[in-house]
Amino acid sequence: MADAGQFKKVRSIIEADPARKVIVVSAAGKRFKDDHKLTDLLYLCHAHKKYGVSCDPVFDMIAGRYREICAELGLKVDIDVRLSALREEIETGISKDKLVSRGEYFSAMLMADYLGYDFLDAEDWLHFSFDGTIDKERSYEDLERLAAGRRVVIPGFYGSMPDGSIRVLSRGGSDVTGALAAAALDADVYENWTDVSGILMADPRIVDDPDTIERITYNELRELSYMGAQVLHEGAVFPVREKNIPLNIRNTNAPDHPGTLIMERFPDEEISDRFITGIAGRKNFSIITVSKAGMSSQMGSLRQMLEVFEKHGVCVEYTPSGIDSVSFVVSADKAKDRIYSIVGEIRDALIPDNIQITGGISVVAAVGRQMAFKPGTSGRIFAALGKAGINIRMISQGPDELNIIVGVNNDDFESCVRVLYNSFVK
């Protein structure tokens, strides 16, 4: 949506399939590396006004972008009148949420004109409750009614509060608007068009030119997202998953690429040689290992230790355990000011034989729904890492056998990801 050229690509995509009847758009993004997203410029306008500084130079950049799009596409929308009205509203008083939502508002208005579709304002159907949550029942009913029998373009990123004021979603919220619209209308598929050809099997900053994941389940997506993979806004997944609607991530700049298809399950799928769907990980964890003879038969010991972490507001990510020992894997950054207090309270409560703290740990997950059908998967992973000289400090695997997680030293993080990818994907 960055410029007229992108508008043309979007129209080609929509016209290629007459079933694409409901279009949700975001604000204009960057045209080149050092360019600005219009949402960022709108936030900057608000900051200027807040501190009594003229926002004219910033607003002129915003207005110029939309004038260029209108002129190049020959649109009928009188953009100057609408921009003047917004400029006046900035001077007389406008909420931050309404101001920053205008990026999507203008994009949708221009796209509706360009496509010959109807403009349907998000504030007319996407309703927030007073506590800031989305009133799905009311929103779904209103969109179903308003969109019936029409081809519409909807601005993403915002909706309305019960008092009629505009409220925005978090950044990336247009993805959420699209998912809610798909769920409300029981769509056959929710196509999320972006600037990448789907979800990559590994971080391209670590692995050169990683493959795209062709098909992935919602459970696998959740695992990779939790482990740090750059995927969709969480809120863009839950609405369509609740309705069992497939989600297809596609590339606006490469429309013929099939992208990544996400579904609850793939019932017709055969077991393939590639049993790893994706690889992801995060750095900077600490492992607190508590050992005590007879711990396995000491009722309530695990609960007592977890309550200590809860008391200090530290989330335990994993709990690999032995017969008389248990380890707690926590984010080093979140626990750094509290870790010794936690250890002290555990020592007082359980009187363990030993407590050890190991820092500088990374966790790397190999995720794949087909792992459960491949005997010896764990052994192959450990053998590959061992052959590469990577020392495994922690191992964890869920009961659904959807992933295998290893803890390695931070210095081995990138090597670990590359070894797993090269050993099991290439």
Side-chain angles (χ1 to χ4, degrees), residues 124-380:
D124 293 334
W125 71 271
L126 184 52
H127 305 294
F128 289 91
S129 301
F130 281 111
D131 63 0
T133 59
I134 294 171
D135 184 342
K136 286 186 180 179
E137 183 176 356
R138 182 185 172 200
S139 298
Y140 287 6
E141 287 177 357
D142 280 356
L143 182 59
E144 190 174 13
R145 172 177 53 82
L146 292 168
R150 304 167 68 194
R151 293 179 179 271
V152 298
V153 179
I154 300 170
F157 186 46
Y158 70 92
S160 59
M161 293 291 286
D163 63 0
S165 62
I166 297 295
R167 181 186 176 101
V168 298
L169 295 153
S170 58
R171 296 300 292 265
S174 291
D175 291 342
V176 180
T177 307
L180 290 165
L185 300 172
D186 292 315
D188 295 326
V189 62
Y190 168 35
E191 293 181 335
N192 185 282
W193 291 84
T194 179
D195 58 357
V196 293
S197 298
I199 301 170
L200 299 177
M201 293 191 71
D203 190 335
R205 295 168 297 183
I206 299 174
V207 174
D208 292 334
D209 195 23
D211 289 351
T212 298
I213 299 172
E214 295 179 1
R215 306 206 296 181
I216 184 173
T217 65
Y218 282 114
N219 283 333
E220 290 174 302
L221 181 71
R222 171 65 176 154
E223 293 283 346
L224 288 173
S225 176
Y226 185 76
M227 290 301 297
Q230 298 298 311
V231 291
L232 286 171
H233 190 299
E234 271 197 352
V237 174
F238 292 129
V240 287
R241 185 175 186 180
E242 287 175 347
K243 292 289 193 79
N244 198 28
I245 295 171
L247 196 167
N248 193 190
I249 302 175
R250 305 281 294 274
N251 189 345
T252 307
N253 301 312
D256 293 332
H257 194 289
T260 298
L261 182 65
I262 309 166
M263 295 181 65
E264 192 65 39
R265 60 191 179 91
F266 296 94
D268 60 336
E269 188 170 51
E270 297 181 358
I271 305 302
S272 67
D273 292 333
R274 180 180 287 186
F275 57 89
I276 289 180
T277 300
I279 301 161
R282 291 183 287 159
K283 282 185 170 184
N284 300 321
F285 287 86
S286 293
I287 302 175
I288 302 169
T289 302
V290 182
S291 304
K292 182 179 180 180
M295 181 188 293
S296 59
S297 59
Q298 185 175 338
M299 189 72 69
S301 58
L302 180 59
R303 173 187 54 78
Q304 286 179 281
M305 289 184 281
L306 288 172
E307 284 178 347
V308 174
F309 286 95
E310 182 181 4
K311 173 185 172 183
H312 288 273
V314 175
C315 179
V316 175
E317 307 270 351
Y318 310 100
T319 54
S321 62
I323 296 175
D324 289 326
S325 67
V326 61
S327 295
F328 301 93
V329 182
V330 298
S331 167
D333 291 338
K334 294 177 182 177
K336 63 182 179 181
D337 296 328
R338 290 162 275 189
I339 195 164
Y340 291 105
S341 297
I342 290 170
V343 167
E345 290 187 29
I346 290 175
R347 181 177 287 113
D348 292 342
L350 270 80
I351 314 177
D353 298 330
N354 184 50
I355 298 182
Q356 181 178 348
I357 302 173
T358 305
I361 298 295
S362 294
V363 291
V364 178
V367 177
R369 60 190 176 278
Q370 297 199 18
M371 284 185 181
F373 307 102
K374 288 282 185 177
T377 298
S378 299
R380 289 179 61 186

Side-chain angles (χ1 to χ4, degrees), residues 50-78:
K50 181 179 178 181
Y51 294 104
V53 179
S54 172
C55 69
D56 285 344
V58 179
F59 189 83
D60 288 345
M61 294 170 66
I62 297 167
R65 182 89 69 93
Y66 283 123
R67 289 190 182 108
E68 286 175 9
I69 292 172
C70 282
E72 187 170 337
L73 300 179
L75 302 182
K76 299 175 183 177
V77 173
D78 193 337

Side-chain angles (χ1 to χ4, degrees), residues 91-109:
E91 290 302 319
T92 57
I94 187 173
S95 71
K96 180 170 72 172
D97 278 23
K98 183 175 182 180
L99 177 56
V100 300
S101 74
R102 297 305 86 179
E104 280 72 15
Y105 175 86
F106 282 124
S107 284
M109 187 163 289

